[in-house]
Structures are given as C-alpha cells and as structure tokens.
Amino acid sequence: MRPPAPPPLPAALRDVVLEVSPALSGRPAAMGASANGAVLPERLRLPVCFLGVFACYFYYGILQESITRGRYGEGAKQEKFKYALTLVFIQCVINAAFAKLLIHFFDAVKADRTRSWLYAACSLSYLGAMVSSNSALQFVSYPTQVLGKSCKPIPVMLLGVTLLRKKYPPAKYLCVLLIVAGVALFLYKPKKGAGSDDHVFGYGELLLLLSLTLDGLTGVSQDHMRAHYQTGSNHMMLNVNLWSTLFLGAGILFTGELWEFLSFTERYPSIIYNILLFGLTSALGQSFIFMTVVYFGPLTCSIITTTRKFFTILASVILFANPISTMQWVGTVLVFLGLGLDAKFGKGIKKTSH
C-alpha cells in the first residue's frame, strides 16, 4: 500500500519548506520586494503573501508526512522511509540554490562580511534541529511534531535569558506558560491499566526536545551574526545551507545512507517527485515569509504562520487519520492561543548586553 498521494499544487505555484527562525525576521531583501516596493500592487500584497506562505507550507507539511510516515510496498515486504539525513541534504541543496538566485536578482550589491566559521557553527545546530525533527516522525504523529515545533519560543527565550542576557516583558512569560500548559495537556495520557505500555515521553518526544534546543541555539547564533555583522537573510540562507550540504554530504557518504537511499528510490521511483516538491515548497515558502516580513513586519508573518500550523494539524487528522482526543484539542488551542498572544504582545524585548 502506497502513502496517500498529496493534492496538486495550486496553479500559481506549479511553475516554480525550513521554517524561518525569528532571528531572521529583520528587513531582508526577498523575492518580489524591490527597493521601491513597486513590484506588487499594494492591494495584492497581503493576499499574495498569505496564500504563498499558507499554500507552500501547508503542502510542505502534507508532503513531509507522506514521505516520512508512508508505507512503501505491499504485504510483508512493506518498508518505511528511514533516510532523514538524505532528505535534509536534498532540502539544503534546493534551499542554497534558491538563495543564490535571490541574491543574484535582488541582493547582488550587498557584500557579506560574516565569518565563515560562524556560518559553519550555525549550520550544525540548524542541521541537528531539522534531522531530529524529521526523525521524530518515525515515533510520533505529525500533529505531535507540529505542536512540538510550535514551542520554539520556549528555548529561544531560555537561551536568550541565559546566554544573551535579554530581559522579556511579563506578557512573554505568560504566553510561554500557556504554550507549556498546552503541550502538557497534549502529551498527557491517562493510565489505562497496569499492563498498559503507553508512554508520555519516548524517543520521538526526546528528538523533538533536542530539535527545539538546537532551534534555540540557531536563533542565538543568528542573533549574534545580525548584531555584529548585519548579515542579510539571503546570505545567511545561502551560507548556512551550503555548510549544511557539506556536512550532510560527508555524513551520508560515510554512513552509506546515500547508496541505501538510491536503492530505495529505484524500488519506489514515485517518491523522487514528492521529495523534489518537498524541497521546492520549503525554499519557496521561505521566500514568501521574507516577503511578508518586508511588506508587513514580523507580527503579520507570525499570525500567518501560526494559522498555517493549526490548519496543517487539522489536515493531518483528516487526510492521514491521526486521532486526537478532546484533551489534546484543548492543549492545541492553548498552544496556538499562546503563540497568537506572543505575536501580539510579547515582542517588547529589552537587550541588556551581548
């Protein structure tokens, strides 16, 4: 039995996924955003940005679940996709190529002075976060993974306080408390009996926790680059993905995963189409996020991406039959309520020192 085929892309996207860290949300040059802002008529900017982010990452989520949680083959010979390193490698190659195009057409005059070792260090945490997140899908449902990744403000805030000595307003702590409470409700499983082997915290949840921690470290390193070198988002996207491609290329060759992946694609060639679309929607979605930040600022971008995540969970429940209990829905609502309030009221940050 093959995994469900993902729905076709909207017509506007047929000719053409990494969620952007909050640290990238400055004023980047992005696709469609020129210096005079005249590429898109003003009345079309919000609909284009909203539909671009929503369509790309919504489709990205469906492709990710289809690839990583699908069953390949029939009967006793069914296989699962186990090549998380190779999947992220392909994603990084496409992201780097897309960033290079953005720099060539929209950001060619700006010189990049950021040290290479900073990009290399940032790419390690960036890579670890993506690989851990994709690997977690072998152990947890997609709604759990999306909700877990939505808790990114928690490690970003903790690492900001401890490493960058930032001070946050009380509203920020309230929002994070709502997110923590929502996650606790979502993960809570009442005991069914002495013989029950249900777990609250297993390998999948540990991988999500690792991914969140590495996301926080990535945000801190990106903050440092922007503060000290005024690193542009397109240059950051290009160089972090180039270093990630180098590290992952060595990894998949050393472990032999590349040859196993190629053998897998020979047996199931239809997966190649999904993987390429997965990388394209990631890169294109990232450019729409940059465009949204340029035109409307981080607040509107946060509202759009938060809304998209909620509907991705809903689509996963409907399309892939992932069951969610009433308590888990309450936890989901609390998490997204916390994210929404954080976007509206939790942005007033006072930096004391770096």
Side-chain angles (χ1 to χ4, degrees):
M1 176 180 175
R2 294 185 182 277
L9 276 170
L13 301 178
R14 284 178 194 150
D15 296 330
V16 203
V17 226
L18 170 101
E19 199 97 30
V20 180
S21 166
L24 286 177
S25 297
R27 287 280 170 182
M31 186 186 70
S34 66
N36 59 13
V39 176
L40 274 177
E42 189 171 349
R43 68 179 184 278
L44 293 179
R45 289 176 187 174
L46 185 58
V48 168
C49 289
F50 176 82
L51 291 174
V53 172
F54 196 92
C56 288
Y57 279 114
F58 186 82
Y59 198 68
Y60 168 89
I62 292 173
L63 286 167
Q64 186 181 36
E65 184 165 13
S66 177
I67 292 167
T68 57
R69 292 183 64 82
R71 299 283 181 172
Y72 302 87
E74 297 179 358
K77 294 184 177 180
Q78 275 194 350
E79 298 180 68
K80 292 183 69 176
F81 185 87
K82 301 178 292 184
Y83 313 104
L85 288 178
T86 309
L87 182 63
V88 176
F89 172 78
I90 295 171
Q91 188 177 355
C92 289
V93 170
I94 295 175
N95 279 343
F98 204 84
K100 184 67 175 176
L101 288 174
L102 291 178
I103 291 172
H104 179 74
F105 288 106
F106 303 108
D107 209 12
V109 296
K110 184 177 180 181
D112 182 31
R113 301 182 297 106
T114 311
R115 303 288 181 86
S116 294
W117 69 266
L118 282 173
Y119 283 132
C122 182
S123 71
L124 289 174
S125 58
Y126 165 78
L127 266 184
M130 283 206 297
V131 172
S132 301
S133 177
N134 283 333
S135 299
L137 283 171
Q138 297 179 29
F139 305 98
V140 299
S141 67
Y142 188 74
T144 302
Q145 191 247 30
V146 172
L147 197 75
K149 291 291 286 182
S150 298
C151 300
K152 194 178 292 185
I154 299 174
V156 169
M157 188 181 76
L158 289 176
L159 290 169
V161 170
T162 55
L163 296 182
L164 298 182
R165 301 177 189 173
K166 290 182 178 180
K167 289 184 178 180
Y168 295 89
K172 185 80 172 181
Y173 292 96
L174 177 61
C175 295
V176 169
L177 184 61
L178 278 175
I179 294 171
V180 171
V183 171
L185 282 176
F186 191 91
L187 294 179
Y188 175 72
K189 296 182 178 71
K191 293 182 179 179
K192 298 179 180 178
S196 175
D197 59 353
D198 277 359
H199 64 274
V200 174
F201 219 81
Y203 292 120
E205 289 80 4
L206 285 173
L207 285 169
L208 285 177
L209 182 61
L210 175 62
S211 178
L212 283 173
T213 304
L214 292 172
D215 271 335
L217 289 173
T218 302
V220 168
S221 61
Q222 289 170 341
D223 253 348
H224 178 80
M225 284 189 277
R226 291 187 67 237
H228 292 274
Y229 298 97
Q230 292 76 49
T231 309
S233 58
N234 291 331
H235 286 285
M236 191 178 295
M237 181 180 174
L238 172 64
N239 287 283
V240 169
N241 279 287
L242 283 177
W243 277 101
S244 299
T245 300
L246 178 64
F247 290 139
L248 278 174
I252 60 179
L253 285 173
F254 180 76
T255 61
E257 183 179 304
L258 176 61
W259 316 120
E260 294 177 14
F261 169 78
L262 292 176
S263 177
F264 186 87
T265 56
E266 284 182 5
R267 296 192 296 275
Y268 311 104
S270 62
I271 197 176
I272 298 174
Y273 174 76
N274 282 355
I275 290 176
L276 291 177
L277 277 182
F278 174 75
L280 284 172
T281 51
S282 168
L284 188 60
Q286 195 166 2
S287 70
F288 275 115
I289 283 183
F290 290 155
M291 190 193 304
T292 304
V293 171
V294 169
Y295 285 143
F296 304 104
L299 173 58
T300 301
C301 186
S302 296
I303 293 171
I304 291 174
T305 55
T306 300
T307 305
R308 189 278 307 172
K309 287 177 183 177
F310 185 84
F311 281 99
T312 300
I313 289 179
L314 188 62
S316 178
V317 172
I318 296 172
L319 297 177
F320 296 92
N322 286 312
I324 291 186
S325 67
T326 303
M327 184 178 292
Q328 287 178 315
W329 275 119
V330 172
T332 301
V333 170
L334 282 178
V335 168
F336 286 103
L337 177 62
L339 289 171
L341 292 174
D342 177 53
K344 181 67 176 176
F345 302 110
K347 299 303 181 185
I349 301 172
K350 296 179 181 178
K351 297 180 183 178
T352 55
S353 64
H354 278 279

